[in-house]
Amino acid sequence: SGMTATGVGQEKNPFLAPRAYVLVFQGGESLLSRLMEFASLARIQSGSVSVCIGDVENVKLSDGSKTTKLKGPRMICSASGNVSQYGCRIVASVVNSSGLSCVGEVCVHPFSDHLVIIDASSS
Protein backbone atom coordinates (compact mmCIF):
# COMPACT_ATOMS: atom_id res chain seq x y z
CA SER A 1 0.00 0.00 0.00
CA GLY A 2 1.21 3.50 -0.81
CA MET A 3 -0.74 5.15 2.02
CA THR A 4 0.92 6.08 5.30
CA ALA A 5 -0.99 6.91 8.48
CA THR A 6 0.31 8.70 11.55
CA GLY A 7 -1.65 9.14 14.78
CA VAL A 8 -1.30 12.74 15.97
CA GLY A 9 -0.28 12.89 19.64
CA GLN A 10 0.92 9.29 19.84
CA GLU A 11 4.52 10.42 19.98
CA LYS A 12 3.88 11.66 23.56
CA ASN A 13 1.95 8.62 24.71
CA PRO A 14 1.96 5.61 22.36
CA PHE A 15 -0.61 3.82 24.54
CA LEU A 16 -3.39 6.32 23.87
CA ALA A 17 -5.61 5.85 20.84
CA PRO A 18 -5.07 8.84 18.54
CA ARG A 19 -8.02 11.14 17.94
CA ALA A 20 -6.52 12.60 14.77
CA TYR A 21 -4.68 10.95 11.92
CA VAL A 22 -2.60 12.31 9.08
CA LEU A 23 -2.92 10.18 5.95
CA VAL A 24 -0.59 10.55 2.99
CA PHE A 25 -1.76 9.06 -0.31
CA GLN A 26 0.50 8.24 -3.22
CA GLY A 27 -0.34 9.15 -6.82
CA GLY A 28 -2.91 6.98 -8.54
CA GLU A 29 -4.78 5.90 -5.41
CA SER A 30 -8.54 6.25 -5.03
CA LEU A 31 -9.45 8.60 -2.19
CA LEU A 32 -12.79 7.08 -1.25
CA SER A 33 -11.74 3.43 -1.27
CA ARG A 34 -8.56 4.16 0.72
CA LEU A 35 -10.48 6.26 3.27
CA MET A 36 -12.98 3.43 3.74
CA GLU A 37 -10.16 0.93 4.14
CA PHE A 38 -8.40 3.09 6.74
CA ALA A 39 -11.62 3.89 8.65
CA SER A 40 -12.37 0.18 8.87
CA LEU A 41 -8.86 -0.70 10.10
CA ALA A 42 -8.89 2.17 12.63
CA ARG A 43 -12.51 1.35 13.63
CA ILE A 44 -13.59 4.94 13.13
CA GLN A 45 -17.30 5.17 13.89
CA SER A 46 -17.71 8.90 13.29
CA GLY A 47 -15.02 11.19 11.95
CA SER A 48 -14.49 14.22 9.78
CA VAL A 49 -12.01 15.18 7.10
CA SER A 50 -10.79 18.62 8.13
CA VAL A 51 -7.83 19.29 5.81
CA CYS A 52 -7.11 18.12 2.30
CA ILE A 53 -4.28 19.37 0.12
CA GLY A 54 -2.82 18.12 -3.11
CA ASP A 55 -3.47 17.65 -6.80
CA VAL A 56 -6.03 15.62 -8.72
CA GLU A 57 -6.34 14.58 -12.31
CA ASN A 58 -9.56 13.71 -14.15
CA VAL A 59 -11.63 14.18 -11.00
CA LYS A 60 -15.35 13.36 -10.98
CA LEU A 61 -17.55 15.70 -8.93
CA SER A 62 -21.30 15.58 -8.39
CA ASP A 63 -23.73 18.38 -7.58
CA GLY A 64 -26.42 15.90 -6.57
CA SER A 65 -28.21 15.82 -9.91
CA LYS A 66 -25.33 15.12 -12.31
CA THR A 67 -21.71 13.97 -12.26
CA THR A 68 -19.07 15.93 -14.15
CA LYS A 69 -15.63 14.61 -15.10
CA LEU A 70 -13.09 17.43 -15.08
CA LYS A 71 -10.25 16.58 -17.44
CA GLY A 72 -6.65 17.48 -16.75
CA PRO A 73 -4.81 18.40 -13.56
CA ARG A 74 -6.52 20.37 -10.79
CA MET A 75 -5.39 21.68 -7.42
CA ILE A 76 -7.54 21.02 -4.35
CA CYS A 77 -8.44 24.38 -2.75
CA SER A 78 -10.44 22.88 0.09
CA ALA A 79 -12.23 19.70 1.03
CA SER A 80 -14.24 18.47 3.97
CA GLY A 81 -16.56 15.63 4.79
CA ASN A 82 -17.53 12.72 6.97
CA VAL A 83 -15.83 9.36 7.28
CA SER A 84 -16.58 6.17 9.17
CA GLN A 85 -16.09 2.46 8.73
CA TYR A 86 -19.59 2.43 7.19
CA GLY A 87 -19.14 5.09 4.49
CA CYS A 88 -17.74 8.48 3.58
CA ARG A 89 -18.73 11.67 1.76
CA ILE A 90 -16.23 14.32 0.73
CA VAL A 91 -17.02 17.70 -0.86
CA ALA A 92 -14.13 19.44 -2.60
CA SER A 93 -13.32 22.67 -4.38
CA VAL A 94 -10.77 22.28 -7.18
CA VAL A 95 -9.18 24.81 -9.54
CA ASN A 96 -7.37 24.45 -12.89
CA SER A 97 -4.30 26.35 -14.09
CA SER A 98 -6.54 29.10 -15.56
CA GLY A 99 -8.13 29.74 -12.18
CA LEU A 100 -11.52 28.22 -13.03
CA SER A 101 -12.95 26.43 -10.02
CA CYS A 102 -15.56 23.73 -9.50
CA VAL A 103 -17.17 22.45 -6.32
CA GLY A 104 -18.97 19.17 -5.72
CA GLU A 105 -19.10 15.85 -3.94
CA VAL A 106 -16.11 13.69 -4.84
CA CYS A 107 -17.17 10.59 -6.76
CA VAL A 108 -13.93 9.01 -7.89
CA HIS A 109 -10.41 10.21 -8.56
CA PRO A 110 -6.88 9.00 -8.18
CA PHE A 111 -4.46 11.57 -6.81
CA SER A 112 -1.61 12.36 -4.49
CA ASP A 113 -2.69 14.25 -1.41
CA HIS A 114 -2.52 14.70 2.34
CA LEU A 115 -5.51 14.42 4.64
CA VAL A 116 -6.20 14.95 8.31
CA ILE A 117 -9.03 12.86 9.71
CA ILE A 118 -10.39 13.74 13.13
CA ASP A 119 -11.85 10.68 14.84
CA ALA A 120 -14.79 11.88 16.88
CA SER A 121 -16.12 8.46 17.78
CA SER A 122 -16.79 7.58 21.39
CA SER A 123 -15.12 4.17 21.26
Side-chain angles (χ1 to χ4, degrees):
S1 148
M3 177 182 69
T4 59
T6 304
V8 177
Q10 276 192 306
E11 59 279 352
K12 293 182 182 175
N13 188 343
F15 301 105
L16 292 178
R19 305 306 284 172
Y21 300 90
V22 176
L23 303 180
V24 180
F25 293 84
Q26 302 302 310
E29 293 189 283
S30 169
L31 169 66
L32 299 179
S33 63
R34 294 312 300 265
L35 275 177
M36 289 291 301
E37 179 184 345
F38 176 76
S40 179
L41 289 171
R43 297 183 183 155
I44 295 175
Q45 294 182 19
S46 176
S48 66
V49 174
S50 59
V51 175
C52 183
I53 59 172
D55 298 310
V56 295
E57 190 154 341
N58 301 325
V59 63
K60 290 182 185 177
L61 298 177
S62 173
D63 67 3
S65 62
K66 67 178 179 181
T67 299
T68 304
K69 182 175 183 177
L70 305 172
K71 294 185 179 183
R74 308 278 172 150
M75 181 178 72
I76 299 172
C77 299
S78 65
S80 61
N82 303 319
V83 63
S84 78
Q85 57 190 333
Y86 311 109
C88 64
R89 294 184 76 176
I90 308 294
V91 175
S93 170
V94 297
V95 64
N96 68 10
S97 61
S98 301
L100 296 173
S101 64
C102 188
V103 177
E105 182 174 350
V106 176
C107 298
V108 172
H109 66 11
F111 66 107
S112 176
D113 122 31
H114 300 247
L115 291 173
V116 174
I117 297 177
I118 306 298
D119 177 8
S121 63
S122 58
S123 58

